[in-house]
Amino acid sequence: MYTVHLEVYAGKQPEGPFKLSPSADDVTTRMCEPITGTNRNVTMDNWFTSIAVAEKFLAEKNLTLVGTMRSNRVGIPNELKPNRNREVHSSLFAHHKEKTLVSYCPKKNKAVILLSTMHSDQRIDPESGESRKPEIVSFYNKTKVGVDSVDQMCCKYDVSRNTKRWPMVLFYDLVNISAINASRIYMFNNAQDKMTRRKFLESLAWELIHPQIRKRIESLALPTDMKTRARKILGIEEPQRQPVPKNDKVGRCLLCGRARDRSTRKCCDLCGHKVCQEHSQIVCITCLGHQ
C-alpha cells in the first residue's frame, strides 16, 4: 500500500496562476501522471471512471482502466442499467473496440456497472461459485483496496490532534502517509526482518526526535535537570565537571548584591562565584556524589 501521488481536492478555485480544474477527468489525469507510459492498470471508483477517461488513458497514457460507473454516465446503454426483471447473479456485456462494459445483478432491482479496457471477453470467475461474478468484477474487488487500506492504516496509528487549522490537518495526513510509505520501503528492502509496523513507527519517531534533543542540549537556557534527562534518553554520559580554581581573595557575595555589600572569601565549588555563609551550605562527600 504505497502512496505514489496525491492531490488535495479544493473544489472550485479562484482565478489565478495556480487554478486547477476540479473535474473528475482532469483530476484523474493529473493523479496518474507519474505512471504514464508504464503499461499499468488503474483501478478507480465511480467518481473517477468514465468512457472518455478510459479512451484517453489507452490512447495517450498507455494505461488500462478498470472501474465502477454510475448508471447516469454518458455512454451506458439502457439495457445495462438496473431492471427489476433481470435474473439475480446474471451479467450483461457490451463491447466497443478495446472497451468492455459489464452489468452484474447482485440482487433484485440492483446493477453494478463496470468499465474495463484490460478485459475483452465475457469470462465468469469460477471461484465465485453460485454468485457467478464476471472476472472483471473479481479483478476490481481484488485491486480496489489500496486507498481504503491506507485510510484504515492511518486511523490505526494516527498522529493527528484536534485542530481548527486546515494546514495542520493536511500536515498530519502527510505525516501518516509518509510513515506508511517509509515502512513499505523498509520492509521491501529488509524482507528478512519481521518488524511489526508499530515497532517501526516507534523507531521512526525516535529517529526524528533525537536530532531535536541533541540541539536542545546545547541550549544555554535549558534547565540542568532537563539536560540530564535528555542525555539519559540519548545514552550520553554526563560531562565531567572541571574543578574551579581556588580563590582566597575577598569579594562581594553574588547573591547579596551591591546593596548589602557583604564581603566573603568563600567560593562556590561549581561556578566559582563568591557566596557568603547565608547563601551557602555544607555538604558531605557522600551526598555530593549523588547530586
Side-chain angles (χ1 to χ4, degrees):
M1 310 305 174
Y2 186 90
T3 303
V4 177
H5 189 48
L6 57 86
E7 181 176 308
V8 178
Y9 181 72
K12 186 177 180 180
Q13 303 172 40
E15 296 294 333
F18 302 105
K19 181 180 179 180
L20 295 174
S21 171
S23 68
D25 293 1
D26 292 334
V27 170
T28 305
T29 302
R30 292 196 299 268
M31 291 286 290
C32 297
E33 197 63 36
I35 59 172
T36 297
T38 59
N39 294 313
R40 285 184 168 88
N41 177 76
V42 182
T43 302
M44 55 184 69
D45 63 18
N46 56 21
W47 191 86
F48 299 96
T49 310
S50 68
I51 293 177
V53 170
E55 293 176 343
K56 183 177 181 179
F57 273 28
L58 201 60
E60 302 177 11
K61 306 296 182 180
N62 202 17
L63 298 171
T64 59
L65 179 151
V66 174
T68 54
M69 292 189 70
R70 298 174 181 176
S71 59
N72 59 354
R73 288 281 192 181
V74 177
I76 298 179
N78 292 329
E79 292 79 5
L80 300 185
K81 296 180 180 180
N83 188 335
R84 66 180 60 190
N85 297 323
R86 285 185 56 182
E87 179 187 354
V88 178
H89 298 157
S90 63
S91 300
L92 292 176
F93 292 85
H95 302 276
H96 180 260
K97 296 182 180 179
E98 294 93 351
K99 301 182 294 295
T100 300
L101 276 170
V102 60
S103 176
Y104 174 69
C105 182
K107 57 184 179 181
K108 205 70 175 178
N109 201 26
K110 174 76 174 178
V112 179
I113 303 173
L114 291 94
L115 171 65
S116 174
T117 56
M118 179 180 177
H119 304 81
S120 58
D121 53 23
Q122 301 182 9
R123 188 178 304 172
I124 302 298
D125 184 10
E127 297 181 0
S128 61
E130 296 181 356
S131 298
R132 302 198 306 274
K133 293 181 181 179
E135 194 172 272
I136 298 175
V137 175
S138 298
F139 179 84
Y140 174 80
N141 290 334
K142 291 177 181 178
T143 56
K144 70 177 181 178
V145 297
V147 176
D148 295 335
S149 297
V150 170
D151 290 339
Q152 184 179 13
M153 294 168 74
C154 288
C155 292
K156 188 172 183 180
Y157 296 108
D158 191 6
V159 302
S160 65
R161 297 294 181 268
N162 290 333
T163 178
K164 294 182 179 180
R165 296 181 292 167
W166 66 264
M168 291 301 299
V169 176
L170 296 179
F171 172 74
Y172 291 141
D173 201 27
L174 290 174
V175 171
N176 287 332
I177 295 174
S178 300
I180 294 174
N181 282 1
S183 66
R184 298 299 97 188
I185 294 173
Y186 177 82
M187 292 176 184
F188 179 80
N189 294 321
N190 301 272
Q192 72 284 354
D193 191 350
K194 303 301 180 181
M195 180 184 293
T196 62
R197 180 165 170 252
R198 184 180 66 84
K199 288 291 186 182
F200 175 84
L201 292 177
E202 183 179 350
S203 176
L204 176 63
W206 280 116
E207 290 295 328
L208 295 175
I209 292 172
H210 282 177
Q212 177 66 12
I213 296 177
R214 291 190 180 93
K215 185 177 179 180
R216 292 289 304 277
I217 289 177
E218 299 174 358
S219 174
L220 299 177
L222 192 69
T224 305
D225 58 334
M226 293 188 66
K227 288 185 178 182
T228 301
R229 292 173 59 187
R231 292 190 184 98
K232 187 176 181 180
I233 291 174
L234 298 177
I236 300 175
E237 295 183 358
E238 286 287 332
Q240 297 294 329
R241 295 171 177 172
Q242 298 296 329
V244 179
K246 294 293 183 178
N247 183 5
D248 295 333
K249 294 182 180 179
V250 177
R252 183 185 296 113
C253 176
L254 176 69
L255 300 177
C256 288
R258 186 177 293 276
R260 299 184 67 176
D261 197 21
R262 182 178 289 176
S263 300
T264 178
R265 292 181 181 272
K266 292 184 177 181
C267 299
C268 176
D269 290 335
L270 298 180
C271 64
H273 290 120
K274 293 290 184 179
V275 287
C276 65
Q277 187 173 357
E278 180 182 346
H279 294 111
S280 60
Q281 292 181 350
I282 299 175
V283 181
C284 70
I285 297 177
T286 304
C287 295
L288 185 63
H290 290 289
Q291 288 186 349

